């Protein structure tokens, strides 16, 4: 209910963002129910134009584009979400530990993260994938690991800011253990920036997964995925058929949606502080 | 040693360490390949002799640390070994491609840097105006777009519909400069749009941060002209963060070329890297990756050093 | 004769959310040539906003909604930008609270000082620079010829504040607005700056608006005082008249602040020592000893006040006692037993018996915890109290600190500063401690609120008999509540003993300096003090010497966090 009250007072940009996210999540969850055809089912000509049967036309193998888009939502979003979640688990845990423990733990973790961060992410991912081969688990682990450095930095900084607050010192003086302090004193105060960061990291990971798929190194056919759909249909564009723009636009739309909501959230969180 | 020099020295030392670690990681990564590289590449039909010869060529018979040192010293001397897929020296494959990539990145930077700083400053000065809100909406949208989306939109409009620019940017040494510029117009425009969006937002944020400082209020209360407040009081303090933003984005640009090169089939290092990854041509991937990583690390290093130097507090120690 | 500055029915509004809320609610203000007007009020009274409005300036998110601001016959609310530019800095200048933040770190002091006359085309660079050096000399800044070539972060806080006064004087303005210029400074440094301001306004007959929350400080400078509260004028009058005969209840309350004193009861319980700090030396690494050979005893049911300025090591002492900073040498003995140096090694019972209250109630309370959790957790942690029993006890605790029971489900952000500090006291009480360390507990509060908190602390001591180790820079607080006093300076104890003894002459030289630097509610206090110090100096140095203020121990780098 509190959520609905917030939404009612939100600006139009945030509402659009929320609507976009809701639409995508809905499509992702109920893909098999709402998709008109099967994920890999060949139903028509190559690059057939829009028609009543195929609302968005067909792809390079004659599969229904709308169906592919709906399934693509499912695969791409799920993959990006799992990766972001993993990255957050690793990054924020390490970040909080580094901040609360300090000393050599902090030194060591920070140095390692600094070095990983000095790597260009895309190049690193490409090199790892070239060595271990393209596989979904490998991709999840690699991207999550690379991305967790950013999460680490933020959560460490946030935790450090909270850490120096006297209420944390008061808890220490009371004799509380590190877990209690992390759980009850630091985490609740770190939530707003971390939630916003989750949105931003999700966008980044999502674009990254899409890029890798676009380069042919991510999700492999025949699984529907927005990035690889762009790649597979790229040739069409020179014939004036704009099919690859659909999945690309879907990617862009979701990222814009998440960004709009994050912007709103950050605005609200900064207002809370005042 | 003055604190300034000490900071710079520390930063450079860290940069060197990073490069060393990167080279080790790239080297070790290949070591971790499941099975033997030779067998993996040559397949199961290879005779023991060919495998042995291949191992010798790749120096796989030597202990790891010796191989690392040999590989690194070869690399520094510009000898990157031979490609697995066609057996040609990698140096010959990479050299001109890297130059092409740099050309593309530099062209984009030449447009993007002044443009985004200008827009960033204007948006910060006229904060919350219609101009600011429009541009912040546009850039927010822009950073949400994958590079290839922008690229394909540009192709769809400027190439497929209007036929103004080629959708495939092929350049070679024989072309005069303006022809090259024409050929790279679309990839360059794509990169510019992406980088400008990032850079402009960061510039705006750091300028706004400075404009909120009490010493700016003081300058206004001294009755100074708006221009002087901005140029003399805000600018020297904004320099350090803005330089940092620019250099960071240049680093991003160098890596960002990879996808754009693929879209426009541009003969650059990124294209080669992606091809080699799918062919699993490991030595080429190693070499191209190390070159990209080095450029990136060096630009980041430059960003930090410049930021340190342009910080007034550090420049005038106690 | 018309006034130099006349503000009529000024309403200033601030944007909160999407609505404009009044901050200054229709105040009249006038200022004559050469007159110093004091603006007094607690935080939120709108005094800074009003002061800035005299230059027709408002901070971001604020606007002058109505009223007129007439300066020298011209209504500034209707003035153009360039007209305002020619008044700001030239005819009305501003001195901010934080000199460190208000000087541009990228330029030297001199450059920023000459900028005003040079940019307004009033003087050449050469003239302006000479004038600046002259002003530096008048303000008794060390090395006046060269100090201008330093950067802001290269000079001390008190010097920087005087350099800002010099910058305000650059064009010999008609009015200077002083916005709490000494609030962030130590008392001994405050005197330097106050003296500088007094001298310079007197010499040039500059009119001034002096904004402060401290009536005693304003009384030294102002001819006339306006008392503000919640954006409205409470009372206005000649300084002497107002001090002697305040008309309003609120003004009387402000005046009576710092009058509370109680006799010490240290003699009553001679040898009942609860805490003993034995030969403690401590450092934050880097080899500098922040504390050197400290010996302090706190007896049961008494209050020991540790006084000192920033850098004296008084807060470090608190950190050593609590175990946050294990000392290099020495021991902490609590109720006859030696406590482990490190907090982590102490058992729960000794942690319980030693509680701490902090300076900033804002950061001392977790903004995401209701008071139920804030107060409930120590009850559960130390006594295993849960459910109904816990809730009853929390309400009891709230009652002890004079807060209503319905506060139990509030968040700290919903409380005022004073109420928050009361919650912090309740949190300490929840543990039923024997010793409470109070680290500058009243410094962040408005005087009246601080007074209430001090009274509460005394009441609680009478009722429960715990001891206080009271760390403060404010001697008025010390006089009010201490039984014994420990005076610290640069990590050492310079004097200690029962309150009456320490406060009665003869004093140690530093104690004397500290005691004499505390402003009193007497308009002649500063003049008398300066005269007294000058006489003393003359006695000590027959040649008279240059008119420099008494040499003071340079404040070492601030160790107080």
């Amino acid at each position: 209910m509190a959520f609905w009250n917030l939404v009612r007072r939100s600006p139009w940009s945030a509402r659009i963002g929320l609507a976009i996210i809701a639409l995508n999540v809905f499509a992702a969850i109920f893909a098999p129910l709402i998709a008109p055809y099967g994920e890999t089912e060949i139903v028509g000509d190559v690059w057939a134009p829009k028609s009543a049967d195929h609302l968005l036309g067909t792809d390079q193998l004659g599969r229904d584009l709308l169906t592919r888009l709906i399934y693509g939502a499912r695969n791409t979003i799920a993959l990006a979400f799992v990766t972001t979640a993993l990255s957050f688990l690793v990054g924020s845990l390490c970040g909080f530990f580094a901040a609360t423990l300090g000393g050599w733990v902090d030194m060591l973790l920070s140095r390692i993260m600094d070095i990983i961060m000095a790597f260009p992410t895309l190049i690193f991912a490409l090199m790892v994938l070239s060595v271990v081969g393209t596989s979904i688990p490998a991709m999840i682990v690699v991207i999550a690991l690379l991305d967790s450095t950013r999460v680490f930095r933020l959560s460490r900084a946030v935790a450090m800011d909270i850490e120096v607050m006297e209420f944390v010192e008061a808890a220490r003086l009371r004799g509380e253990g590190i877990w209690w302090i992390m759980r009850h004193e630091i985490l609740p105060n770190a939530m707003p920036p971390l939630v916003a960061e989750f949105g931003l990291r999700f966008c980044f990971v999502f674009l990254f997964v899409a890029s890798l798929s676009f380069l042919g190194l991510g999700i492999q056919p025949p699984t529907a995925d927005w990035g690889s759909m762009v790649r597979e249909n790229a040739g069409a564009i020179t014939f004036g058929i704009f099919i690859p723009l659909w999945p690309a636009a879907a990617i862009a739309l979701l990222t814009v949606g998440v960004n709009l909501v994050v912007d709103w959230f950050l605005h609200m969180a900064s207002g809370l502080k005042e | 040693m003055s604190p300034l020099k000490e900071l710079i020295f520390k930063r450079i030392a860290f940069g060197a360490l990073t490069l060393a670690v990167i080279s080790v990681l790239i080297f070790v990564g290949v070591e971790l390949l499941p099975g033997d590289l030779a067998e993996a590449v040559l397949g199961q039909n290879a005779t023991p002799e060919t495998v042995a010869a291949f191992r010798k060529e790749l120096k796989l018979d030597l202990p790891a640390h010796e191989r690392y040192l040999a590989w690194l010293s070869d690399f520094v001397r510009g000898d990157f070994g031979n490609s697995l897929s066609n057996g040609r020296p990698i140096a010959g494959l990479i050299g001109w491609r890297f130059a092409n990539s740099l050309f593309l990145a530099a062209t984009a930077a030449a447009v993007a840097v002044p443009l985004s700083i200008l827009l960033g400053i204007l948006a910060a000065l006229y904060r919350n105006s219609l101009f600011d809100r429009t541009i912040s909406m546009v850039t927010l949208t822009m950073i949400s777009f994958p590079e290839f989306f922008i690229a394909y939109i540009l192709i769809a409009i400027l190439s497929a519909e209007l036929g103004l620019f080629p959708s495939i940017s092929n350049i070679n040494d024989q072309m005069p400069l303006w022809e090259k510029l024409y050929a790279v117009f679309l990839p360059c425009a794509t990169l510019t749009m992406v980088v400008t969006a990032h850079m402009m937002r960061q510039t705006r944020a750091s300028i706004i941060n400075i404009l909120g400082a009490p010493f700016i209020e003081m300058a206004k209360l001294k009755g100074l002209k708006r221009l002087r407040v901005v140029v003399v009081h805000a600018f020297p303090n904004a320099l350090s963060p803005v330089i940092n933003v620019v250099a960071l984005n240049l680093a991003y640009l160098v890596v960002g070329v990879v996808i754009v090169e693929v879209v426009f089939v541009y003969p650059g290092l990124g294209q080669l890297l992606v091809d080699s990854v799918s062919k699993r041509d490991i030595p080429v991937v190693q070499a191209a990756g190390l070159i990209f990583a080095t450029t990136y690390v060096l630009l980041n290093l430059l960003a930090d050093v410049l930021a340190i130097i342009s910080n007034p507090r550090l420049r005038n120690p106690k | 004769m018309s006034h130099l500055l006349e503000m009529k029915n000024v309403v200033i509004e601030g944007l909160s959310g999407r609505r404009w809320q009044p901050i200054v609610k229709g105040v009249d203000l006038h200022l004559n040539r050469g007159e110093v007007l004091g603006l007094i009020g607690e935080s939120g009274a709108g005094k800074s906003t009003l002061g800035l409005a005299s230059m027709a300036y408002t901070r971001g998110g604020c606007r002058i909604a109505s009223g007129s601001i007439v300066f020298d016959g011209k209504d500034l609310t209707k003035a153009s930008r360039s007209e305002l530019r020619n008044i700001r800095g030239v005819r009305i200048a501003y001195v901010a609270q934080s000199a460190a933040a208000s000087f541009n770190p990228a330029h030297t002091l001199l450059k920023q000082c000459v900028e005003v006359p040079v940019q307004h085309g009033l003087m050449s660079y050469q003239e302006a620079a000479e004038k600046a050096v002259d002003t530096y000399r008048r303000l008794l800044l060390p090395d006046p010829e060269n100090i201008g070539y330093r950067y802001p972060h290269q000079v001390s806080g008190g010097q920087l504040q005087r350099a800002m006064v010099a910058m305000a004087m650059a064009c010999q303005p008609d009015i200077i607005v002083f916005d709490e210029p000494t609030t962030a400074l130590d008392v001994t440094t405050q005197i330097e700056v106050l003296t500088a301001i007094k001298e310079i306004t007197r010499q040039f007959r500059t009119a001034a608006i002096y904004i402060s929350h401290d009536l005693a400080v304003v009384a030294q400078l102002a001819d006339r005082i306006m008392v503000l509260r919640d954006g409205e004028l409470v009372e206005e009058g000649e300084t002497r008249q107002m001090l002697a005969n305040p008309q309003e209840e609120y003004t009387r309350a402000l005046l009576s602040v710092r009058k509370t004193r109680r006799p010490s009861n240290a003699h009553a319980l001679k040898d009942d020592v609860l805490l003993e700090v034995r030969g403690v030396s401590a450092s934050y690494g880097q080899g500098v000893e922040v504390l050197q050979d400290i010996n302090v005893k706190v007896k049961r049911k008494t209050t020991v006040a540790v006084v000192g300025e920033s850098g004296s090591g008084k807060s470090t002492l608190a950190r050593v006692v609590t175990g946050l900073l294990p000392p290099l040498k020495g021991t902490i003995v609590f109720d006859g037993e030696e406590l482990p140096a490190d907090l982590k090694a102490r058992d729960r019972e000794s942690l319980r018996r030693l509680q701490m209250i902090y300076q900033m109630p804002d950061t001392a309370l977790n903004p995401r915890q209701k008071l139920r959790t804030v107060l409930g957790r120590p009850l559960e942690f130390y006594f295993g109290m849960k459910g109904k029993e816990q809730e009853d006890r929390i309400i009891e605790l709230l009652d002890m600190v004079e807060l209503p029971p319905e506060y139990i489900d509030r968040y700290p952000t919903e409380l005022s500063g004073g109420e928050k500090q009361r919650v912090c006291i309740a949190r300490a009480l929840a543990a039923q401690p024997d010793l409470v360390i109070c680290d500058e507990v009243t410094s962040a509060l408005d005087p009246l609120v601080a007074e209430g908190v001090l009274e509460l602390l005394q009441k609680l001591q009478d009722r429960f008999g715990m001891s206080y180790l009271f760390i403060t820079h404010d001697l008025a607080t010390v006089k009010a509540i201490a039984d014994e006093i420990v005076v610290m300076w640069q990590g050492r104890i310079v004097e200690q003993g029962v309150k009456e003894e320490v406060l009665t002459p003869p004093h140690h030289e530093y104690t004397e300096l500290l005691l004499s630097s505390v402003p009193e509610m007497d308009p002649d206090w500063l003049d008398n003090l300066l005269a007294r110090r000058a006489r003393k100096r003359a006695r000590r140095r027959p040649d008279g010497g240059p008119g420099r203020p008494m040499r003071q121990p340079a404040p070492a780098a601030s160790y107080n966090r």
Side-chain angles (χ1 to χ4, degrees):
Chain A
M1 274 308 103
F3 179 74
W4 281 116
N5 279 330
L6 276 180
V7 172
R8 218 178 305 144
R9 278 183 284 133
S10 65
W12 58 270
S13 61
R15 290 185 203 186
I16 294 178
L18 285 171
I20 294 172
I21 296 173
L23 179 74
N24 274 285
V25 171
F26 180 79
I29 293 174
F30 299 106
L33 298 177
I34 51 175
Y37 302 95
E39 183 177 358
T40 54
E41 195 182 342
I42 293 173
V43 291
D45 293 336
V46 172
W47 290 333
K50 287 172 220 166
S51 65
D53 288 341
H54 308 291
L55 290 174
L56 297 176
T58 59
D59 73 357
Q60 89 286 5
L61 296 178
R63 294 171 295 194
D64 181 56
L65 195 70
L66 181 62
T67 307
R68 298 284 290 171
L69 272 182
I70 292 171
Y71 275 99
R74 182 171 236 210
N75 300 325
T76 319
I77 294 174
L79 184 63
F81 189 82
V82 169
T83 311
T84 317
L86 185 63
S87 140
F88 253 74
L89 195 70
V90 176
S92 57
L93 214 59
C94 289
F96 284 165
F97 262 119
T100 22
L101 291 177
W104 65 268
V105 180
D106 183 26
M107 270 289 279
L108 188 73
L109 279 172
S110 297
R111 280 306 87 126
I112 293 176
M113 295 292 179
D114 278 354
I115 288 182
I116 300 180
M117 263 176 104
F119 263 78
T121 322
L122 182 63
I123 305 298
F124 191 94
L126 287 180
M127 301 195 62
V128 174
L129 293 179
S130 79
V131 170
V132 301
T134 49
S135 75
I136 303 285
M139 189 162 77
I140 291 178
V141 171
V142 171
I143 300 178
L145 221 56
L146 286 175
D147 205 52
S148 66
T149 58
R150 265 81 180 170
V151 181
F152 170 83
R153 255 213 185 166
L154 180 87
S155 48
R156 177 177 172 273
V158 169
M160 294 281 251
D161 281 351
I162 302 169
E163 162 80 0
V164 297
M165 296 280 196
E166 278 149 353
F167 61 79
V168 178
E169 194 179 298
R172 282 223 174 107
L173 287 180
R174 196 187 305 141
E176 302 284 3
I178 180 166
W179 281 109
W180 199 90
I181 291 177
M182 279 221 281
R183 166 84 187 73
H184 293 273
E185 306 286 352
I186 294 181
L187 195 63
N189 290 289
M191 272 329 264
L194 283 185
V195 168
E197 182 69 2
F198 190 89
L200 295 179
R201 290 333 305 169
F202 174 80
C203 286
F204 180 84
V205 167
F206 179 67
L207 286 179
F208 198 79
V209 171
S211 299
L212 282 181
S213 298
F214 170 74
L215 294 176
L217 305 168
I219 301 171
Q220 297 297 319
T223 310
D225 156 74
W226 291 346
S228 32
M229 283 167 72
V230 178
R231 170 197 179 81
E232 290 158 3
N233 292 288
I237 206 148
T238 37
F239 304 113
I241 303 167
F242 296 144
I243 282 191
L245 287 184
W246 285 106
I251 297 169
L253 191 68
L254 180 58
T255 351
V256 172
V258 175
N259 267 323
L260 287 175
V261 174
V262 168
D263 251 26
W264 168 56
F265 183 83
L266 281 176
H267 194 77
M268 246 176 14
S270 71
L272 278 181
K273 248 192 267 168
E274 288 160 16
Chain B
M1 204 178 340
S2 75
L4 181 69
K5 279 187 193 143
E6 197 180 312
L7 264 177
I8 294 177
F9 178 78
K10 270 190 190 156
R11 183 63 189 82
I12 292 176
F14 179 73
L17 175 71
T18 311
L19 282 178
V21 173
I22 287 178
S23 68
V24 171
L25 278 181
I26 288 178
F27 181 78
V28 171
V30 178
E31 293 287 300
L32 294 180
L33 263 184
D36 192 313
L37 178 63
E39 284 164 22
V41 170
L42 296 177
Q44 295 178 348
N45 308 334
T47 63
E49 291 80 44
T50 49
V51 171
F54 187 76
R55 288 173 62 92
K56 195 157 180 64
E57 191 200 323
L58 286 184
K59 305 194 179 91
L60 288 179
D61 47 345
L62 296 175
H65 65 277
E66 276 182 41
R67 244 178 316 137
Y68 169 71
L69 288 178
W71 173 73
L72 195 63
S73 66
D74 283 350
F75 185 87
V76 173
R77 273 185 274 117
D79 176 6
F80 305 142
N82 295 329
S83 158
L84 289 184
S85 56
N86 56 20
R88 300 223 302 267
I90 296 172
L93 285 172
I94 280 182
W96 60 279
R97 283 198 170 84
F98 186 48
N100 281 351
S101 289
L102 286 184
F103 174 72
L104 180 56
T107 319
V111 183
V113 171
L115 184 68
S116 49
I117 290 182
L118 188 73
L119 288 178
I121 291 176
L122 286 178
L125 283 183
Y126 301 99
R127 184 152 41 127
N128 293 331
S129 65
L130 186 66
F131 168 77
D132 177 34
R133 268 178 290 171
T134 317
I135 208 158
S136 109
M137 206 62 214
V138 170
T139 50
L140 180 70
T141 320
M142 210 66 94
I143 57 173
S144 310
F145 285 5
E147 282 111 333
F148 53 81
F149 184 45
I150 300 180
Y152 282 123
I153 291 179
L154 289 178
I155 292 181
I157 299 171
L158 296 178
S159 175
E161 285 290 303
L162 302 173
L164 292 175
F165 295 96
S167 68
I168 290 180
S169 346
N170 212 339
I171 66 167
N172 57 55
D173 289 342
Q174 279 73 49
M175 287 159 85
L177 182 65
W178 68 268
E179 237 174 78
K180 271 192 189 174
L181 288 176
Y182 176 72
V184 300
F185 182 87
L186 287 182
C188 177
T190 311
L191 281 174
T192 306
M193 286 166 88
V194 176
V195 176
T196 304
H198 277 110
M199 230 188 304
M200 181 260 150
R201 284 175 80 86
Q202 288 162 341
T203 309
R204 176 182 176 275
S206 47
I207 302 258
I208 282 179
N209 190 19
I210 302 277
L211 288 179
F215 61 81
I216 294 297
E217 176 173 82
M218 194 71 213
K220 286 186 200 157
L221 289 175
K222 278 154 81 178
L224 301 178
K225 292 202 179 79
R226 194 188 174 93
L227 188 68
R228 186 169 170 91
V229 173
V230 172
V231 173
V232 176
H233 287 275
F235 186 70
N237 292 288
L239 203 58
S240 167
V242 170
I243 288 179
N244 203 16
V245 165
V246 169
L248 284 179
N249 278 284
L250 290 186
Y252 170 83
L253 194 60
V254 168
V255 178
V257 293
V258 173
I259 288 173
V260 175
E261 282 179 8
V262 172
V263 174
F264 293 96
V265 207
Y266 181 82
L269 191 56
Q271 169 90 20
L272 177 71
L273 176 62
V274 173
D275 279 353
S276 310
V277 171
S278 24
K279 280 191 238 154
R280 301 194 73 185
D281 190 340
I282 309 284
V284 180
V285 174
Q286 266 185 333
L290 194 49
I291 288 176
F292 268 123
T294 309
T295 321
Y296 185 84
V297 169
L298 289 180
L299 279 168
N300 270 314
L301 178 65
L302 185 72
D304 286 356
V305 170
L306 285 176
I308 293 171
I309 293 175
S310 52
N311 184 327
R313 275 173 222 263
L314 292 173
R315 211 172 41 220
N316 309 296
K318 285 206 170 199
Chain C
M1 190 194 117
S2 68
H3 303 295
L4 175 62
L5 175 75
E6 179 147 26
M7 300 167 80
K8 273 236 162 78
N9 204 12
V10 171
V11 177
I12 302 168
E13 295 176 335
L15 198 59
S16 88
R18 284 180 191 172
R19 298 230 314 278
W20 290 98
Q21 299 277 359
I23 300 171
V24 175
K25 303 162 181 164
V27 174
D28 294 344
L29 178 153
H30 68 271
L31 186 65
N32 294 318
R33 237 167 241 288
E35 185 189 30
V36 179
L37 171 69
L39 287 186
I40 271 285
E42 304 190 310
S43 48
K47 49 193 194 303
S48 288
T49 314
L50 187 61
L52 284 170
S54 67
M55 315 170 76
Y57 179 87
T58 51
R59 294 224 160 100
C62 294
R63 65 172 186 196
I64 299 171
S66 66
S68 65
I69 300 162
V70 179
F71 170 71
D72 204 12
K74 174 144 201 73
D75 189 348
L76 299 187
T77 54
K78 299 190 179 79
S80 72
R81 266 194 188 183
S82 71
E83 282 171 325
L84 281 178
R85 260 208 312 275
N86 286 327
I87 286 172
R88 291 177 185 160
V90 181
R91 304 202 58 195
I92 309 180
Y94 179 73
V95 173
Q97 173 172 356
S98 165
S102 297
F103 268 113
N104 192 329
H107 304 298
T108 60
L109 298 180
L110 188 66
K111 186 174 174 197
Q112 297 185 55
C113 186
V114 301
E115 187 180 22
V116 195
V118 171
Q119 282 303 309
H120 286 101
L122 300 172
M123 291 177 211
S124 70
Y125 180 88
Q126 200 55 42
E127 286 169 327
E130 277 164 22
K131 190 168 176 337
V133 171
D134 178 56
T135 317
Y136 290 154
R137 194 172 291 124
R138 284 169 193 268
L139 291 172
L140 305 176
L141 280 163
D143 195 8
E145 282 79 20
N146 298 312
I147 194 168
Y149 297 103
R150 301 228 203 145
Y151 285 86
H153 59 279
Q154 295 170 326
V155 300
S156 75
Q159 292 170 5
L160 204 57
Q161 201 69 46
R162 277 181 280 162
M164 185 146 62
V165 175
M167 183 159 81
M169 284 305 297
C171 293
Q172 284 199 22
D174 298 305
I175 302 176
I176 302 183
V177 179
F178 293 99
D179 192 355
E180 305 244 17
T182 65
T183 306
L185 305 173
D186 280 323
V187 275
T188 53
T189 323
Q190 168 167 287
I191 296 258
E192 295 170 21
V193 177
L194 280 183
T195 314
I197 292 174
K198 183 145 194 169
E199 281 307 310
I200 209 98
T201 48
R202 202 183 269 169
Q203 281 172 23
F204 293 96
R205 292 219 11 96
T206 313
I209 297 176
Y210 194 100
I211 299 161
S212 176
H213 66 280
D214 190 339
L215 192 49
V217 167
V218 170
Q220 307 312 315
L221 297 163
D223 303 308
R224 188 157 49 89
I225 292 178
M226 287 170 74
V227 181
L228 294 176
R229 189 184 196 184
D230 296 329
E232 280 172 290
L233 181 68
V234 175
E235 186 175 351
E236 179 175 359
E238 296 294 316
T239 303
R240 281 169 201 280
Q241 209 168 357
M242 184 180 285
L243 293 183
N245 187 18
Q247 298 299 308
E248 298 291 323
E249 187 56 42
Y250 182 66
T251 318
R252 267 196 287 280
L254 283 181
L255 267 169
S256 66
V257 156
R258 305 182 172 193
K259 292 257 169 77
T260 33
R261 286 192 187 203
R262 71 164 191 190
S264 64
N265 63 350
H267 298 287
L269 306 127
K270 201 109 202 164
D271 293 315
D272 199 358
V273 175
L274 176 67
L275 174 84
E276 188 178 356
V277 178
R278 278 189 202 155
V280 160
S281 298
S283 125
Y284 288 108
Q286 297 126 34
V288 193
E289 285 198 358
V290 189
L291 289 180
Q292 290 173 25
D293 195 26
I294 301 292
N295 291 286
V296 175
K297 281 184 187 169
V298 181
K299 291 172 196 152
R300 226 175 268 278
K301 297 182 186 172
T302 62
T303 301
V304 173
V306 180
V307 211
E309 297 183 282
S310 47
S312 63
K314 56 188 192 304
S315 289
T316 310
L317 180 59
R319 294 179 75 77
V320 171
V321 174
T322 53
L324 284 167
L325 180 74
L328 294 175
K329 281 195 294 253
T331 50
I332 309 291
V333 181
F334 189 70
D335 204 10
E337 278 177 52
E338 191 175 313
L339 282 181
D342 191 349
L343 170 68
K344 289 178 199 119
R346 295 186 182 176
D347 60 40
R348 195 172 281 200
E349 184 61 11
S350 49
L351 291 172
R352 177 188 71 74
R353 297 176 62 187
L354 204 163
Q355 292 290 311
M356 176 121 175
I357 307 173
Y358 293 90
Q359 174 176 6
M360 308 290 271
D362 287 324
T363 55
L365 293 172
N366 188 337
R368 305 265 158 187
Q369 286 178 358
K370 287 180 179 173
L371 300 198
R372 185 186 289 280
T373 321
V374 172
L375 300 177
R377 180 61 191 173
L379 293 175
E380 191 188 328
F381 189 78
Y382 292 127
F383 306 109
M385 240 183 242
K386 282 196 173 115
K388 177 83 177 105
E389 188 193 6
Q390 194 196 59
E391 184 167 332
D392 289 346
R393 177 70 183 153
I394 294 173
I395 290 172
E396 205 180 326
L397 285 167
L398 286 172
D399 184 55
M400 283 180 204
V401 295
E402 295 155 10
L403 292 176
E406 59 267 24
Y407 274 28
I408 188 166
D409 281 318
R410 295 226 181 149
Y411 286 99
T413 39
E414 299 169 74
L415 310 185
S416 72
E419 288 173 331
K420 277 182 232 175
Q421 195 58 295
R422 281 164 193 264
V423 174
C424 292
I425 295 172
R427 177 170 63 187
L429 279 181
Q432 302 181 4
D434 294 325
L435 176 72
V436 180
I437 298 177
C438 303
D439 188 358
E440 301 269 13
V441 288
T442 55
S443 322
L445 305 174
D446 280 319
L448 287 178
V449 181
E451 194 89 341
V453 167
L454 285 185
E455 274 164 21
L456 175 67
L457 283 172
Q458 287 187 355
K459 217 184 283 175
L460 292 170
Q461 189 175 42
D462 292 343
R463 188 163 159 200
F464 299 106
M466 64 275 226
S467 308
Y468 292 139
L469 183 63
F470 212 94
I471 287 156
T472 182
H473 70 277
D474 183 11
L475 277 153
T477 312
V478 175
K479 286 176 185 168
I481 62 146
D483 296 313
E484 289 181 50
I485 298 179
V486 175
V487 183
M488 288 187 68
W489 174 65
Q490 297 202 339
R492 264 176 277 211
I493 293 177
V494 294
E495 193 170 3
Q496 70 188 114
V498 179
K499 176 165 76 177
E500 283 76 10
E501 284 167 23
V502 175
L503 293 182
T504 340
H507 306 294
H508 178 274
E509 192 185 355
Y510 178 70
T511 315
E512 161 76 40
L513 176 68
L514 207 55
L515 279 173
S516 66
S517 299
V518 180
E520 286 166 22
M521 293 284 183
D522 168 10
D524 299 320
W525 169 80
L526 183 61
D527 291 332
N528 291 343
L529 174 73
L530 293 175
R532 223 169 38 238
R533 285 191 181 172
R535 274 201 302 281
K536 212 177 194 176
R537 218 166 30 241
R539 240 180 291 141
R540 224 181 275 168
R541 234 183 308 154
D543 59 88
R548 285 172 54 99
M550 179 178 167
R551 207 198 69 77
Q552 289 146 12
S558 172
Y559 297 108
N560 298 347
R561 248 156 283 155

